[in-house]
Amino acid sequence: HVQLVESGGGSVQAGGSLRLACAHSGYGGACMGWFRQAPGKEREGVAAIYSEGGTTYYSDSVKGRFTISQDDSKNTVYLQMNSLKNEDTAVYYCAASRYDCKPTFYPSVSESDFAWWGQGTQVTVS
């Protein structure tokens, strides 16, 4: 059983930065992804990393501003968010899939392939 616990959310001014962390226990999954859901909108995948090799994938909305990384020694996946915009406001979720990010996350996101999800952490940009 995989457990995911997100941390690092909070409130920040536009243009600022935050770093989210996702600590996982046991098997972290082949593909670790970050998703977000804003009020009244569908959940979207924003970034993913293939645990073996570290290949990363980003949505167009965050490419160049967000960076996903992993620290295997800490069983943690990070999402560094820079140049934050108001539209980045959302609940951010960490998720794990037993499948490779390609094609689970790229070129299109298949949420059903992500079997394990964290509880979410709120990010508010104002």
Side-chain angles (χ1 to χ4, degrees), residues 60-118:
D60 289 341
S61 60
V62 306
K63 195 173 298 181
R65 300 188 297 122
F66 290 12
T67 302
I68 188 171
S69 62
Q70 60 186 7
D71 186 336
D72 292 338
S73 67
K74 297 181 179 180
N75 288 341
T76 301
V77 174
Y78 300 97
L79 184 68
Q80 177 66 43
M81 306 185 294
N82 298 330
S83 302
L84 283 163
K85 305 175 181 179
N86 292 348
E87 50 264 43
D88 293 319
T89 295
V91 177
Y92 284 71
Y93 298 90
C94 175
S97 171
R98 62 172 62 91
Y99 308 114
D100 191 347
C101 294
K102 189 175 181 181
T104 300
F105 193 90
Y106 178 85
S108 61
V109 178
S110 177
E111 285 194 20
S112 60
D113 286 340
F114 286 83
W116 303 282
W117 292 80

